[in-house]
């Protein structure tokens, strides 16, 4: 059996809705990616950091109950991290964080076809250094995917974090980034120009998401693809980008383009295959935004167009 390893934060989202109600949900960008892959029937393992407390139990039950395997000792934090998400009238979330991040011991193996990293876990020390080392070591076995998923309230300034993000982009095979992240990281730059710079730095595929306006992808071989987003009634955008990221990995998995041995094939991906993968990811994200929270579909729901 081949599997995917995801490294990064798992936390509890404390969501303040526009109507004044407050709810708690397991979250964290990398954890959401692992969840999305597991719900699609993939063997997904998560290396993360949470506590042996009530919030930690919520995370553990949520992830393992949906088929995610946790790397041993992921539950050794002194406390479980939280993110306070405030939703505006359109369902768009803004975040503030209370987060401690370290990486448990991770064993890499030849059955791993994908390693995904992203967001806070890839930039916040002391864990970020271990993430970078694991990503470099895993290239021997796996396709490396990365989503900056910027969180300015905890990552620092764009100037401070850009060198780290740029290095992670250059070392990845697949990069997904939102237009909002590009605008924060490279203010005043055209987003597609930034994507062209990133595609020339090492990745096989870089995908720019634009929310309801669709997504744009560029490959190292200069193949370009633009797709529209499905039209849905948006409940909120929590987990939308993570669902799309999981969909990209799943789509490339189905296309037989994951794993170190398929790296050159991924660099040579054709427009039709890339478009199909992006449309697959877009359909998954559309289901997620049509219902509350980071709640990606399972394979049956996806195939039947669940909302």
């Amino acid at each position: 059996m081949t599997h995917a390893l995801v490294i990064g934060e798992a936390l509890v989202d404390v969501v303040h809705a526009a109507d004044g109600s407050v709810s708690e949900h397991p979250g964290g960008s990398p954890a959401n990616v692992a969840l999305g892959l597991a719900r699609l029937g993939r063997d997904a393992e998560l290396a993360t950091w949470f506590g042996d407390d009530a919030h930690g139990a919520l995370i553990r039950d949520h992830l393992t109950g949906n088929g995610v395997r946790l790397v041993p000792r992921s539950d050794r934090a002194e406390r479980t991290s939280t993110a306070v998400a405030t939703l505006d009238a359109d369902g768009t979330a803004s975040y503030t964080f209370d987060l401690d991040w370290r990486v448990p011991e991770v064993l890499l193996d030849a059955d791993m076809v994908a390693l995904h990293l992203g967001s806070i876990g890839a930039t916040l020390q002391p864990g970020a250094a271990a993430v970078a080392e694991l990503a470099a070591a895993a290239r021997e076995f796996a396709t490396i995917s990365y989503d900056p998923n910027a969180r300015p309230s905890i990552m620092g300034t764009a100037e401070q974090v850009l060198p780290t993000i740029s290095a992670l982009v250059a070392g990845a095979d697949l990069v997904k980034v939102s237009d909002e992240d590009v605008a924060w990281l490279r203010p005043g730059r055209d987003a597609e120009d930034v994507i062209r710079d990133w595609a020339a730095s090492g990745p096989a595929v870089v995908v720019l998401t634009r929310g309801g306006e669709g997504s744009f992808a560029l490959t190292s071989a200069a193949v370009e693809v633009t797709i529209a987003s499905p039209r849905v009634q948006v409940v909120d955008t929590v987990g939308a980008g993570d669902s799309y990221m999981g969909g990209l990995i799943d789509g490339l998995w189905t296309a037989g383009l994951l794993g170190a041995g398929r790296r050159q094939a991924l660099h040579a991906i054709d427009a039709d295959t890339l478009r199909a993968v992006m449309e697959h990811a877009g359909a998954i994200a559309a289901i997620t935004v049509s219902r509350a929270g980071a709640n990606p579909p399972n394979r049956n729901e996806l195939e039947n167009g669940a909302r």
Side-chain angles (χ1 to χ4, degrees):
M1 283 290 292
T2 57
H3 69 277
L5 173 65
V6 180
I7 305 177
E9 69 273 10
L11 45 79
V12 171
D13 289 320
V14 182
V15 181
H16 294 255
D19 63 5
S21 62
V22 180
S23 57
E24 294 186 343
H25 310 278
S29 176
N32 290 339
V33 173
L35 173 72
L37 287 171
R39 284 192 174 177
L40 293 171
R42 301 300 186 181
D43 184 356
E45 186 177 26
L46 176 66
T48 190
W49 194 243
F50 60 89
D52 183 16
D53 51 26
H55 279 161
L58 183 64
I59 288 171
R60 178 184 291 281
D61 291 348
H62 177 63
L63 292 172
T64 60
N66 281 281
V68 177
R69 293 188 294 114
L70 293 172
V71 168
R73 302 176 67 88
S74 287
D75 60 353
R76 298 304 174 93
E78 291 186 1
R79 70 183 189 285
T80 299
S81 300
T82 59
V84 177
T86 302
L87 304 181
D88 64 17
D90 296 324
T92 301
S94 58
Y95 295 88
T96 56
F97 295 90
D98 174 18
L99 192 145
D100 175 42
W101 168 238
R102 300 173 190 272
V103 181
E105 182 180 0
V106 175
L107 299 178
L108 306 177
D109 63 75
D111 290 331
M112 181 178 63
V113 296
L115 182 144
H116 176 72
L117 52 125
S119 200
I120 301 165
T123 58
L124 183 67
Q125 299 295 356
V131 172
E133 290 177 3
L134 286 165
R139 285 185 63 82
E140 177 184 355
F141 309 112
T143 298
I144 311 301
S145 61
Y146 174 54
D147 177 5
N149 198 18
R151 298 296 186 227
S153 62
I154 195 168
M155 287 183 176
T157 67
E159 292 78 8
Q160 290 170 328
V161 78
L162 183 58
T164 298
I165 289 176
S166 297
L168 291 168
V169 167
D173 300 297
L174 169 66
V175 176
K176 193 279 292 182
V177 65
S178 71
D179 54 355
E180 292 179 346
D181 287 350
V182 172
W184 177 66
L185 286 166
R186 302 302 303 272
R189 288 285 308 278
D190 178 79
E192 290 192 11
D193 286 344
V194 174
I195 296 311
R196 294 180 200 284
D197 290 346
W198 284 10
S201 72
V205 180
V206 182
V207 181
L208 172 71
T209 59
R210 295 168 166 146
E213 301 305 311
S215 53
F216 166 78
L218 179 66
T219 76
S220 59
V223 173
E224 296 186 13
V225 175
T226 300
I227 68 163
S229 293
R231 299 291 99 183
V232 296
Q233 183 67 42
V234 175
V235 174
D236 67 49
T237 63
V238 176
D242 306 325
S243 295
Y244 190 102
M245 184 73 246
L248 290 177
I249 297 169
D250 179 68
L252 292 174
W253 206 327
T254 298
L257 291 172
L258 294 186
R262 300 295 291 162
R263 183 162 285 124
Q264 291 307 309
L266 182 58
H267 276 273
I269 189 171
D270 62 81
D272 288 343
T273 302
L274 181 54
R275 181 175 294 105
V277 170
M278 293 167 66
E279 289 175 347
H280 175 71
I284 291 169
I287 293 174
T288 301
V289 301
S290 72
R291 50 200 196 186
N295 185 14
N298 60 39
R299 185 76 66 182
N300 184 62
E301 289 176 312
L302 178 63
E303 293 175 350
N304 288 285
R307 291 290 183 266

